[in-house]
Amino acid sequence: MRVFRNVEDLGDLKSALQEAFEVKKDRFRYQTLGRNKTALLIFFNNSLRTRLSTQKAAMNLGLNVIVLDVNQGAWKLETERGVIMDGDKSEHLLEAIPVMGCYCDVIGVRSFATFESRRDDYEEKILDQFVRYSGRPVFFMESATVHPLQSFADLISIEEYKRTPRPKVVLSWAPHPKALPQAVPNSFAQWMNAADVDFVVTHPRGYELDPKFVGKARVEYDQMEAFRGADFIYAKNWSCPGVTRPEDYGKVLTVDRSWTVDEAHMAVTNRAFFMHCLPVRRNMIVTDDVIESPQSLVIPEAANREISATVVLKRMLE
Ligand code: CP
């Protein structure tokens, strides 16, 4: 596997899940695979789970790991071609990327949406340059539009906890004070569409996800109606994707706290499990009672990030 960005990159999803459960049983089984090889993890943005779980996954496979925080200690990078570099940016990404490729065998990159241009974000301008110019396999550790390591971990968690062969899974928008990217909901929708689940998306009007991600999912604007009989509730905030009104791209259109997932919402479900990728703002996205309840999967989901990253790195090394 040269690039890990979309669910299709894994090939057959059932085999990938089977491999994930094998790895979970014995996560050091492939310790020799990464011997004398190096993974470079590049962060343009903050992280707790991705940083730790991906390093742990690399260590499971015997890889050496280098972590670079681009904004802390590296030269400030210019990303646009054609710019006269007379400002504060000392190095261009077009030199920095192949240089980074010289020092490693596989590269993971995290670079969020900037919200400056919907087109630039949705064309994945930064990550695409790593794919093109690094000369190394590249895996996305959350890009402008996708977060596949998270969605793979979410799917592993759903497989582990489901009580029916085809559970009802609801992706619900929830309020947040700041503009957040659409990467997590985009990827979650893409992966749920590929999985054997009854998938429903609910959000206020104006928050429609890009059709290339939401695909065949049922969209229900009445949140309570969407929650009825659900087996899994996946809460997440996202800013306006600009699908119906491009000029609203990246804006916070509402912080309506009636969308906060609370016990009244969970009461209409089929004893649903609560999911969130973390970090989460309590009592905005979800109440203390729901996230602390026995139905909350937020910690097992985070733990499965190590498993999803181990499978992805393993396939990139093989
Ligand atoms: N869920 C997730 O990607 O967490 P971090 O932003 O802390 O890596």
Side-chain angles (χ1 to χ4, degrees):
M1 185 164 61
R2 292 291 298 179
V3 178
F4 179 62
R5 168 181 178 163
N6 294 312
V7 65
E8 300 82 30
D9 297 324
L10 277 187
D12 180 55
L13 206 46
K14 282 202 173 110
S15 312
L17 279 169
Q18 203 176 351
E19 200 170 311
F21 293 123
E22 278 166 16
V23 162
K24 195 158 181 172
K25 270 192 213 133
D26 179 5
R27 57 198 74 194
F28 302 112
R29 184 166 163 196
Y30 302 99
Q31 263 255 306
T32 55
L33 208 54
R35 194 164 173 268
N36 295 334
K37 292 194 171 152
T38 301
L40 173 58
L41 310 182
I42 302 165
F43 289 90
F44 286 83
N45 306 96
N46 295 342
S47 167
L48 187 150
R49 278 143 292 274
T50 305
R51 175 185 294 261
L52 298 183
S53 62
T54 314
Q55 284 187 68
K56 177 62 168 62
M59 291 189 281
N60 291 346
L61 298 166
L63 278 159
N64 299 304
V65 190
I66 303 173
V67 180
L68 177 68
D69 288 297
V70 173
N71 298 319
Q72 291 169 23
W75 299 111
K76 219 168 172 185
L77 292 175
E78 176 58 60
T79 56
E80 293 295 321
R81 195 168 171 278
V83 167
I84 298 168
M85 289 174 59
D86 59 356
D88 62 341
K89 293 175 178 165
S90 309
E91 179 151 29
H92 203 288
L93 204 59
L94 288 172
E95 284 79 55
I97 290 173
V99 167
M100 291 189 256
C102 294
Y103 307 136
C104 64
D105 299 278
V106 57
I107 301 183
V109 186
R110 165 166 283 202
S111 178
F112 291 169
T114 61
F115 297 136
E116 282 164 18
S117 150
R118 185 182 197 280
R119 200 176 73 175
D120 286 357
D121 285 344
Y122 272 71
E123 283 179 0
E124 295 287 7
K125 272 187 89 167
I126 304 288
L127 267 290
D128 188 52
Q129 292 188 69
F130 276 90
V131 172
R132 277 202 268 169
Y133 303 122
S134 69
R136 301 293 176 207
V138 175
F139 61 100
F140 287 35
M141 299 196 298
E142 188 170 342
S143 69
T145 66
V146 289
H147 195 359
L149 286 170
Q150 180 66 50
S151 299
F152 189 15
D154 296 334
L155 180 60
I156 294 167
S157 309
I158 289 170
E159 277 297 307
E160 284 179 319
Y161 285 88
K162 72 181 185 185
R163 294 171 301 225
T164 56
R166 194 165 187 275
K168 177 176 177 182
V169 178
V170 177
L171 169 63
S172 177
W173 180 93
H176 192 280
K178 291 184 175 172
L180 296 187
Q182 296 108 42
V184 170
N186 282 345
S187 269
F188 188 73
Q190 183 190 66
W191 285 66
M192 288 304 111
N193 279 322
D196 191 14
V197 300
D198 172 17
F199 183 48
V200 179
V201 183
T202 184
H203 53 73
R205 288 188 190 274
Y207 280 93
E208 288 76 14
L209 293 169
D210 192 296
K212 84 174 174 190
F213 295 108
V214 81
K216 62 186 181 199
R218 181 156 64 87
V219 177
E220 170 59 67
Y221 292 102
D222 180 334
Q223 190 190 24
M224 276 295 190
E225 195 50 44
F227 274 43
R228 218 168 285 287
D231 298 295
F232 292 90
I233 299 296
Y234 195 98
K236 184 72 184 85
N237 173 267
W238 61 90
S239 62
C240 175
V243 170
T244 47
R245 282 170 51 90
E247 63 272 29
D248 284 344
Y249 174 63
K251 286 186 185 164
V252 175
L253 304 179
T254 175
V255 283
D256 180 357
R257 287 192 43 227
S258 72
W259 283 76
T260 300
V261 179
D262 60 11
E263 284 183 322
H265 284 84
M266 296 303 280
V268 304
T269 69
N270 179 28
R271 293 182 300 117
F273 291 105
F274 174 80
M275 301 180 74
H276 188 280
C277 61
L278 303 181
V280 70
R281 291 199 182 220
R282 282 178 175 224
N283 304 307
M284 285 296 296
I285 302 281
V286 57
T287 61
D288 292 322
D289 290 338
V290 171
I291 199 168
E292 291 170 6
S293 76
Q295 296 304 102
S296 173
L297 296 186
V298 296
I299 306 304
E301 260 180 282
N304 277 332
R305 291 291 307 274
E306 177 188 342
I307 306 305
S308 65
T310 305
V311 173
V312 168
L313 278 167
K314 170 182 170 291
R315 288 185 171 205
M316 294 200 130
L317 292 172
E318 277 169 347

